[in-house]
Amino acid sequence: MASSRSNLPTGAGTFQPLRHRSGTLRDRLHGYTKQTLGAGGSLNDAVALPPGESCAGWVAVHAIDFYNDVSTIWAVMAEDPYLDSFRPGEGFPSGVEYRWSEGSGRDATTISVSAPVYIEKVLQWIADQINDETKFPDDDDEAEALRVFQTPQFAALCGQIFRRLFRVYGIIYSSFFGTLEALQMAPHLNTCFKHFMFFCTEFGLLPEREMEPLEVLVKPIRKQYHLAKGK
């Protein structure tokens, strides 16, 4: 069987968590979640927009934090030889195939890749967006950062980031949960996914159709969210 790993982006499996520079808007907003969860607060409290803060900035910071969660989980198994066994179109949730789009406009092309290659491409693409200071500013000028975060272009970019992160979770649960379970990483995966889904539910970041492939996992989590929200 021909390996699909030759199609992985350069540096696959070497993703590093992205940080928020100390003293910036991103760092300050990130601190709210750390304080809430560190003090034993609920997930509903942790995802809720802090009083007086920008919703756009709150979503921006969580896009980075959730990227860190997923990339760290994936890095645990990114060098597993088992990933070589997937051909283009294989390894996705039942009934779907996530294809990768390259280029833009008339030059855009959609290609069929394996699930591991798709994950690597998603994580690299997200890292590229976050590392672009024109898209995810992380400087001392809070007003300028908020100006960027509150544009329609940024809202569309974040929507794409959250949809693609959800797809990565879908692939991991569909094809790699057993591997992570053997590595005793399943509880961490479940905690990260629950936090992600609570946040997406709080702010309506995922279309219903996007969530269908993982409905068996998503439905009980959303039920927990709404039950806790109603207390």
Side-chain angles (χ1 to χ4, degrees):
M1 179 183 296
S3 169
S4 64
R5 294 282 279 174
S6 59
N7 296 321
L8 288 178
T10 302
T14 60
F15 296 103
Q16 297 295 319
L18 301 177
R19 307 297 182 187
H20 308 287
R21 196 162 63 82
S22 179
T24 64
L25 170 67
R26 278 172 37 182
D27 179 60
R28 181 167 60 77
L29 292 176
H30 172 70
Y32 282 114
T33 302
K34 288 180 62 179
Q35 291 167 12
T36 302
L37 293 178
S42 71
L43 271 183
N44 287 80
D45 292 337
V47 302
L49 178 66
E53 297 293 353
S54 160
C55 182
W58 190 237
V59 172
V61 166
H62 280 78
I64 299 168
D65 292 345
F66 290 135
Y67 161 84
N68 285 337
D69 287 343
V70 173
S71 63
T72 301
I73 291 168
W74 183 246
V76 171
M77 58 174 301
E79 301 303 324
D80 192 325
Y82 171 58
L83 304 187
D84 293 339
S85 66
F86 292 89
R87 292 177 175 175
E90 293 181 345
F92 298 97
S94 178
V96 299
E97 177 190 347
Y98 301 134
R99 297 197 170 192
W100 186 253
S101 296
E102 296 185 334
S104 60
R106 294 182 178 180
D107 297 326
T109 58
T110 302
I111 59 175
S112 179
V113 296
S114 70
V117 171
Y118 184 85
I119 289 177
E120 299 281 2
K121 285 182 175 292
V122 165
L123 295 180
Q124 187 61 65
W125 175 80
I126 294 176
D128 290 344
Q129 309 311 304
I130 295 172
N131 286 324
D132 185 340
E133 284 271 338
T134 66
K135 296 177 179 178
F136 275 84
D138 192 25
D139 55 36
D140 297 325
D141 189 343
E142 287 201 9
E144 175 60 20
L146 286 174
R147 185 193 67 77
V148 174
F149 293 153
Q150 291 170 347
T151 62
Q153 294 84 356
F154 186 79
L157 174 61
C158 274
Q160 192 171 17
I161 288 173
F162 277 88
R163 288 192 300 273
R164 286 181 166 178
L165 285 175
F166 179 83
R167 293 179 178 187
V168 171
Y169 273 118
I171 293 168
I172 291 174
Y173 274 107
S174 298
S175 295
F176 305 110
F177 184 77
T179 302
L180 290 172
E181 198 169 33
L183 295 170
Q184 300 183 338
M185 285 285 292
H188 179 65
L189 169 66
N190 292 337
T191 297
C192 289
F193 183 61
K194 184 177 180 179
H195 188 185
F196 176 80
M197 283 308 308
F198 267 49
F199 190 85
C200 289
T201 304
E202 177 86 2
F203 295 99
L205 295 170
L206 295 173
E208 293 293 327
R209 184 177 179 182
E210 189 72 51
M211 294 183 279
E212 288 176 0
L214 283 187
E215 184 178 10
V216 68
L217 291 174
V218 168
K219 190 174 181 179
I221 292 175
R222 295 175 80 189
K223 184 178 180 179
Q224 291 176 37
Y225 164 85
H226 288 296
L227 285 174
K229 191 79 170 176
K231 289 182 179 180

